[in-house]
């Protein structure tokens, strides 16, 4: 993969920043990644990548050895060493659901103080309409003039956690929101080696593309959860319903996995942010609201299923939980519905034992007083029921004979439809999924 090489800085070295930085270094660019989190930078400089993503650690350490990627807490150094700045800081939700832009604001201030020549500031963070004006004001206060000292562009990120490295090198599309041809051309050149379709548009439209894409993914999940719940009630099998729908190209089968709902660091906060943004501009987005509402109901639906399986009471029952991360192949538990369900189970008086292949350390930050284990079988010993909350492949391989002998009651609630119901039933388990029995 060859293309024109650039000096690039990445501001904010989280999931997006690390994947982007590592990928751009692999393409031959000179990359310097900066973050305010000293521990993160120290561990990256010691060769330890603080997030679990398939292939990321290898990619970063390879490019460190080739002196194509550096890590620093010195934002000014990063800015000064680069021609193009990718802003990858977090944009979490505020209490009221609006987007918290404090990381964008402080990073912009730091960039403004350090600009030493014209640079492109390309924003990968998911930002609501109005953010560019906010950034421009901050940069103006630092004496920087748009067009002379810098230009802003929006390059939204579509990578999937758990597939970040793969997605960097195999993007479905690159969206470049720039209002100057020169800026658009340079950014397109950077991503040219990836051979992806490039959508050239305005910054505002690029922002909308990101929000609309996430809202659509959320809608698919809420839709199929609704169908799965109906399947439960009428005695149909949602897996077969999906099989029967997916051959219609207008529908397709991707991203149709019934379960506990959508969580994670992006979908919920971006959907709420989108709704709030629409309202701010005078439009009440009722359809988007219903997607969110459905998602909240799904957690209750799953809890009620468990309650029913346990004979109507969760209090003082011992529940084993498999899966804590918001999806498999990541250690990310931010906004994980597994964590929310555990909290609710505890509020209802249940005793929880839990296991996750990669998320235990992260989960400890969110769950106090929970027995977390490093092994499926320790977790399931003497439990009244087992609930599966993340679709890790590893759970498909459970030794059912051993499991059956360990559990107090053979009750399995598969909240993510990852297990083979027939196999479980053949070992005498009472199995329920979401829309499958
Ligand atoms: N995680 C995803 O899968 C994903 C996918 C697409 C888009 N996004 C969007 O990308 C953005 C980043 O997401 P993320 O998951 O990588 O976030 P993250 O929280 O993992 O990383 C953000 C990083 O920015 C750093 N930071 C905060 N303030 C800073 C500052 N002033 N200067 C330098 N660094 C600073 C933080 O220490 C942190 O390491 C968000 O807007 C998110 O919505 C995320």
């Amino acid at each position: 993969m060859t293309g024109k090489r650039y000096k690039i800085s990445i501001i904010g070295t989280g999931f997006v920043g690390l994947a982007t930085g590592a990928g751009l270094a692999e393409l031959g660019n000179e990359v310097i990644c900066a973050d305010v989190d000293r521990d993160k930078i120290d561990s990256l400089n010691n060769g330890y990548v603080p997030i679990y993503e398939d292939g990321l650690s290898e990619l970063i350490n390879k490019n460190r050895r080739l002196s194509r990627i550096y890590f620093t807490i010195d934002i000014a150094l990063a800015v000064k060493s680069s021609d193009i700045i990718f802003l990858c800081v977090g944009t979490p939700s505020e209490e009221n659901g609006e987007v918290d832009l404090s990381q964008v604001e402080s990073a912009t201030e730091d960039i403004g103080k350090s600009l030493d020549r014209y640079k492109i500031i390309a924003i990968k963070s998911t930002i609501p309409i109005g953010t560019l004006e906010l950034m421009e004001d901050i940069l103006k206060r630092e004496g920087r003039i748009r067009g002379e000292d810098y230009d802003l562009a929006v390059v939204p990120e579509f990578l999937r956690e758990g597939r970040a490295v793969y997605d960097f090198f195999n993007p479905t599309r690159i969206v470049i929101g720039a209002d100057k041809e020169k800026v658009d051309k340079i950014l397109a050149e950077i991503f040219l080696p990836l051979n992806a379709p490039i959508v050239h548009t305005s910054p505002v439209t690029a922002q909308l593309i990101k929000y609309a894409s996430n809202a659509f993914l959320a809608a698919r999940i809420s839709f199929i959860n609704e169908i799965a719940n109906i399947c439960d009630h009428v005695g149909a099998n949602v897996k077969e319903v999906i099989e029967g729908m997916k051959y219609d190209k207008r529908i397709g089968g991707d991203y149709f996995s019934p379960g506990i709902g959508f969580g994670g660091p992006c979908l919920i906060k971006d959907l709420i942010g989108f709704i709030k943004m629409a309202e701010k501009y005078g439009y009440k987005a009722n359809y988007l609201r219903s997607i969110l509402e459905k998602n909240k109901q799904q957690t209750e639906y799953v809890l009620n299923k468990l309650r029913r399986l346990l004979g109507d009471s969760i209090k003082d029952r011992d529940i084993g939980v498999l899966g804590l991360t918001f999806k498999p192949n990541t250690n990310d538990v931010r906004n994980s519905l597994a964590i929310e369900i555990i909290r609710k189970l505890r509020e209802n008086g249940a005793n929880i034992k839990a296991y996750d292949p990669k998320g235990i350390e992260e989960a400890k930050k969110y769950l106090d007083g929970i027995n977390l284990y490093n092994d499926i079988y320790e977790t399931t010993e003497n439990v009244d029921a087992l609930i599966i909350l993340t679709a890790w492949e590893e759970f498909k391989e459970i030794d059912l004979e051993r499991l059956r002998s360990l559990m107090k009651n053979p009750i399995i609630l598969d909240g993510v439809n990852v297990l083979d119901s027939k196999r479980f039933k053949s070992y005498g388990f009472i199995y329920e999924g979401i829309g499958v029995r």
Side-chain angles (χ1 to χ4, degrees):
M1 291 186 199
T2 52
K4 211 165 159 188
R5 275 112 200 226
Y6 288 92
K7 287 179 188 252
I8 290 171
S9 61
I10 304 279
I11 309 296
T13 315
F15 277 89
V16 170
L18 277 177
T20 306
L24 289 174
E26 180 70 11
L27 294 182
N29 298 289
E30 203 176 293
V31 179
I32 178 159
C33 299
D35 202 289
V36 287
D37 184 336
R38 183 181 283 275
D39 290 344
K40 199 176 264 188
I41 294 300
D42 283 349
S43 66
L44 285 159
N45 278 327
N46 288 324
Y48 174 72
V49 176
I51 56 172
Y52 174 73
E53 271 295 331
D54 197 18
L56 186 62
S57 181
E58 293 81 351
L59 197 65
I60 287 177
N61 288 319
K62 173 188 162 194
N63 281 285
R64 274 182 70 230
R65 283 193 298 277
L66 293 169
S67 303
R68 287 198 301 225
I69 192 165
Y70 297 88
F71 298 97
T72 179
I73 55 156
D74 189 342
I75 312 281
L77 173 73
V79 170
K80 286 180 181 151
S81 319
S82 59
D83 297 317
I84 295 142
I85 301 164
F86 280 95
L87 188 66
C88 302
V89 295
T91 49
S93 279
E94 283 181 354
E95 274 297 287
N96 66 3
E98 281 183 23
V99 183
D100 171 359
L101 290 170
S102 56
Q103 295 184 29
V104 173
E105 286 172 293
S106 68
T108 307
E109 232 175 80
D110 286 343
I111 293 169
K113 285 190 175 47
S114 323
L115 282 176
D116 55 345
R117 58 184 190 279
Y118 172 86
K119 289 168 210 275
I120 293 173
I121 306 173
I123 301 137
K124 276 214 159 266
S125 303
T126 305
I127 48 161
I129 312 300
T131 309
L132 297 182
E133 290 73 7
L134 177 79
M135 290 176 71
E136 206 174 323
D137 283 348
I138 294 170
L139 290 165
K140 203 184 223 165
R141 281 206 296 277
E142 298 298 333
R144 311 298 179 185
I145 299 164
R146 188 168 178 169
E148 277 181 30
D149 299 308
Y150 72 92
D151 273 306
L152 296 177
V154 175
V155 191
E157 181 55 68
F158 300 101
L159 68 78
R160 294 165 296 174
E161 278 191 28
R163 304 290 304 272
V165 173
Y166 176 86
D167 283 354
F168 179 87
F169 292 105
N170 302 277
T172 47
R173 74 290 206 194
I174 301 288
V175 173
I176 300 176
D179 44 22
K180 274 196 188 149
E181 215 182 304
K182 169 181 92 172
V183 174
D184 178 87
K185 199 165 159 255
I186 291 174
L187 291 171
E189 262 170 11
I190 292 178
F191 294 103
L192 201 64
L194 300 176
N195 280 324
I198 298 184
V199 178
H200 303 271
T201 183
S202 69
V204 169
T205 304
Q207 284 163 272
L208 249 290
I209 289 171
K210 175 63 192 171
Y211 277 107
S213 300
N214 271 4
F216 187 77
L217 294 175
R220 270 182 88 89
I221 297 174
S222 277
F223 172 82
I224 205 63
N225 281 340
E226 187 87 309
I227 302 303
N229 299 354
I230 295 173
C231 285
D232 275 337
H233 284 78
V234 303
N237 180 322
V238 75
K239 287 189 178 171
E240 289 164 19
V241 170
I242 293 168
E243 182 70 13
M245 290 172 73
K246 73 178 188 190
Y247 296 103
D248 185 330
K249 286 200 171 65
R250 295 168 302 173
I251 299 173
D254 287 347
Y255 225 64
F256 258 174
S257 12
I260 58 176
F262 54 84
C266 292
L267 286 192
I268 296 178
K269 74 135 175 118
D270 288 349
L271 190 54
I272 300 174
F274 199 16
I275 294 166
K276 290 275 173 189
M277 179 172 80
E279 278 170 5
K280 213 165 166 177
Y281 284 78
Y283 181 74
K284 225 168 174 295
N286 290 331
Y287 171 64
L288 297 182
R289 236 175 224 297
S290 72
I291 300 168
L292 202 60
E293 209 41 55
K294 167 73 208 139
N295 202 47
K296 283 189 195 143
Q297 288 162 9
Q298 196 65 10
T299 318
E300 285 306 317
Y301 184 80
V302 173
L303 285 167
N304 283 336
K305 237 180 201 285
L306 184 64
R307 202 171 274 124
R308 193 175 32 71
L309 281 165
L310 283 167
D312 271 347
S313 177
I314 287 174
K315 195 167 169 359
D316 294 328
R317 307 307 286 272
D318 298 313
I319 314 287
V321 173
L322 297 186
L324 298 166
T325 52
F326 83 97
K327 60 147 102 170
N329 306 319
T330 176
N331 63 344
D332 199 345
V333 300
R334 291 177 293 174
N335 258 328
S336 166
L337 295 186
I339 303 280
E340 192 180 321
I341 286 174
I342 289 176
R343 286 204 185 112
K344 288 198 169 148
L345 285 169
R346 290 186 86 203
E347 278 164 26
N348 282 282
N351 309 312
I352 306 294
K353 299 169 82 180
Y355 165 77
D356 187 277
K358 296 283 179 207
I360 300 274
E361 286 311 309
E362 288 300 307
K364 281 182 186 162
K365 297 178 190 165
Y366 298 85
L367 290 171
D368 224 14
I370 294 279
N371 294 316
L372 297 168
Y373 295 87
N374 286 314
D375 173 80
I376 292 181
Y377 303 100
E378 274 182 72
T379 312
T380 48
E381 200 171 345
N382 272 328
V383 294
D384 289 299
L386 181 61
I387 178 164
I388 321 293
L389 298 177
T390 315
W392 286 96
E393 281 293 311
E394 176 180 324
F395 300 157
K396 291 183 181 167
E397 310 299 327
I398 301 179
D399 176 342
L400 295 193
E401 214 166 283
R402 192 166 165 204
L403 187 67
R404 182 76 177 79
S405 69
L406 285 170
M407 290 176 67
K408 221 186 290 171
N409 300 318
I411 298 174
I412 307 279
L413 174 53
D414 183 359
V416 283
N417 288 358
V418 69
L419 306 176
D420 177 349
S421 63
K422 280 199 191 105
R423 230 185 112 225
F424 272 79
K425 282 181 187 161
S426 71
Y427 278 82
F429 286 96
I430 299 163
Y431 171 97
E432 266 199 44
I434 312 295
V436 265
R437 287 232 162 114

